[in-house]
Amino acid sequence: MNKTLKVGIAGGRGLSTMLGFQSLEGVEVAALCDLDEDLLRAKSAEHNIPHTYRIFDDMLESDIDAVVIATPMQCHVPQAIAALEAGKHVLSEVTAGVTIDELWWLKESVEKSRKTYMYAENYCYMPSCQQIRQMVRLGLFGDVYYGECEYLHNVRSLLTYPSGKTSWRAYWQLGKRGAFYPTHSIGPMMQWFEGERIASVSCFSAGHHNGLRQDDTSVAMCPTKSGKLIKLRVDCVSPRPHNMTGYQLQGTRGAFESARERNGRNIVWLDTLDENVDNAQWRDLADFSEYLPERYRKATEEQNRAGHGGGDFFLVEDFVNAVRLHVKPDIDVYQACEWTAVGLLSELSVMNGGRTIDMPDFRKNCVDDQIIRL
């Protein structure tokens, strides 16, 4: 029988993992850390969390085994490294870090610690993204060679806290240039392009009409090492309704397009569905539910309540299994660094007229490989 895995959550946003952890046998959320004392008091009582902390390092000195890092982006790497050095496993919210140097520090710390680091990119775990991943693996789309992904989410209301103070997002998100928040989009896409690595990033701006440093819309072109192409659009300032899960995928035998609105259709075409492409008709992705991974089809009501159609539960389950079984997590530190680097390199590119910036290989260890060349 495995001993109880004790988890500490850093940052109130990390409470989104609670239902996942509570649904797993032999797992206890033993600690909650946040600067907001009122939140600590209310949420620890609501979720029966026995220990609370305002200081992250104090929580690391307790007997927890793993940490969920759901603090502001600029805290992710320093806190992840501190947790790894304290012998804790890490489940980190997005993005992985805020500078390229941080990403190198992070990957080196994970390698040195031999602890589990998993990137909590929950968009990869949404049922539709998992279904397309399975269909790609089975070859239903043939050889996939082009993808589009976009994250359109006006977050200007988050520039200040309810108190009126300036939010960290004013600096580390809307104070940045380029496709600063890429991984909700590029993450699922790279899982569909399984085995690929991004070769370079070229980013272009639609200009500034918003009074912020962040571009109205950023479009990044990301060719892969084998010559495939991904187009990424990020827009977090334009006045428009949300469209946070925009995906398109093209292969030699079929295509997929996600819904363009909240209640829209996810649609698929495969070359086995029509006699010829001239008369091709889109089908609903739901018509191919047999390709949804079994655990999603058999998800309990409790698991589905965890969020994102059960995805938030399965993300937590995969993290716990990686810790207990000492296996590679589904989204490891190398993927976390590469996907995050898309945004960081896009900032350099857009500030240099769309110049192509090569993607470093985070699996290498030589300092000479850690240079970004313009």
Side-chain angles (χ1 to χ4, degrees):
M1 178 68 180
N2 292 320
K3 78 177 187 70
T4 297
L5 183 73
K6 293 186 177 182
V7 178
I9 295 177
R13 284 192 310 129
L15 291 167
S16 62
T17 62
M18 277 298 304
L19 281 174
F21 285 122
Q22 289 175 334
S23 299
L24 293 170
E25 185 177 350
V27 179
E28 177 193 1
V29 176
L32 176 65
C33 178
D34 199 280
L35 292 174
D36 187 333
E37 290 189 9
D38 291 336
L39 181 145
L40 285 175
R41 190 177 304 110
K43 294 301 181 180
S44 62
E46 177 183 346
H47 297 291
N48 297 312
I49 301 174
H51 304 290
T52 60
Y53 301 88
R54 293 189 72 243
I55 306 301
F56 182 73
D57 286 348
D58 290 347
M59 184 172 73
L60 293 183
E61 292 178 2
S62 71
D63 65 347
I64 58 172
D65 304 294
V67 177
V68 176
I69 296 178
T71 49
M73 288 163 53
Q74 70 272 20
C75 301
H76 291 180
V77 166
Q79 290 179 333
I81 291 175
L84 293 165
E85 289 182 347
K88 317 299 183 185
H89 305 284
V90 173
L91 179 65
S92 176
E93 264 286 0
V94 304
T95 59
V98 294
T99 72
I100 293 291
D101 279 331
E102 278 197 337
L103 300 182
W104 287 111
W105 302 338
L106 175 64
K107 86 101 182 182
E108 290 162 359
S109 295
V110 172
E111 291 172 346
K112 181 179 178 180
S113 74
R114 296 184 173 273
K115 293 295 179 180
T116 296
Y117 173 96
M118 180 167 165
Y119 191 48
E121 182 42 82
N122 60 0
Y123 275 46
C124 291
Y125 279 85
M126 290 192 296
S128 60
C129 291
Q130 287 284 310
Q131 185 172 342
I132 295 300
R133 186 183 187 188
Q134 180 71 356
M135 293 172 74
V136 169
R137 282 177 166 174
L138 292 172
L140 298 180
F141 294 103
D143 182 18
V144 294
Y145 55 84
Y146 177 73
E148 293 187 15
C149 48
E150 55 188 21
Y151 184 79
L152 312 180
H153 181 193
N154 186 342
V155 298
R156 295 183 66 156
S157 63
L158 302 178
L159 285 169
T160 57
Y161 294 114
S163 66
K165 291 183 179 179
T166 301
S167 162
W168 62 272
R169 296 177 189 272
Y171 304 105
W172 291 106
Q173 291 190 331
L174 301 191
K176 303 289 283 181
R177 297 287 310 277
F180 71 99
Y181 198 63
T183 73
H184 284 337
S185 308
I186 210 77
M189 191 64 59
M190 288 305 293
Q191 288 194 323
W192 301 343
F193 284 74
E194 194 165 15
E196 292 281 347
R197 283 190 53 247
I198 294 169
S200 63
V201 177
S202 302
C203 187
F204 306 89
S205 167
H208 293 81
H209 308 88
N210 55 62
L212 301 166
R213 284 184 56 79
Q214 173 55 211
D215 306 78
D216 290 321
T217 279
S218 296
V219 175
M221 306 302 291
C222 306
T224 70
K225 284 290 186 180
S226 71
K228 299 175 181 182
L229 183 62
I230 298 171
K231 174 185 174 184
L232 164 68
R233 179 186 174 194
V234 173
D235 185 335
C236 289
V237 297
S238 293
R240 54 167 296 136
H242 291 186
N243 182 31
M244 296 183 285
T245 55
Y247 304 102
Q248 293 186 39
L249 185 69
Q250 182 65 57
T252 56
R253 297 185 54 199
F256 164 70
E257 293 193 8
S258 66
R260 299 293 302 173
E261 56 192 52
R262 285 185 185 275
N263 298 314
R265 297 169 62 207
N266 292 317
I267 53 178
V268 169
W269 180 78
L270 305 174
D271 65 1
T272 56
L273 300 176
D274 298 291
E275 290 186 4
N276 62 71
V277 73
D278 294 334
N279 299 316
Q281 298 292 321
W282 290 106
R283 269 68 163 188
D284 285 330
L285 180 62
D287 295 342
F288 302 87
S289 60
E290 68 268 25
Y291 298 112
L292 187 65
E294 184 178 12
R295 64 177 178 174
Y296 283 78
R297 286 185 275 120
K298 294 184 175 180
T300 66
E301 183 178 341
E302 182 181 34
Q303 290 168 351
N304 282 328
R305 279 206 315 271
H308 293 93
D312 288 356
F313 169 81
F314 295 120
L315 184 154
V316 169
E317 181 181 56
D318 282 358
F319 172 64
V320 170
N321 286 339
V323 169
R324 285 178 166 165
L325 301 175
H326 308 287
V327 297
K328 174 189 174 302
D330 193 45
I331 308 175
D332 64 18
V333 69
Y334 305 108
Q335 292 160 298
C337 289
E338 182 176 306
W339 300 354
T340 296
V342 169
L344 302 176
L345 298 181
S346 78
E347 182 175 21
L348 287 175
S349 176
V350 79
M351 294 172 69
N352 286 274
R355 180 174 294 184
T356 297
I357 312 293
D358 289 339
M359 174 68 70
D361 184 351
F362 289 97
R363 288 164 179 78
K364 294 184 177 180
N365 293 303
C366 179
V367 174
D368 291 339
D369 295 319
Q370 301 181 13
I371 298 172
I372 303 300
R373 293 180 173 86
L374 293 179

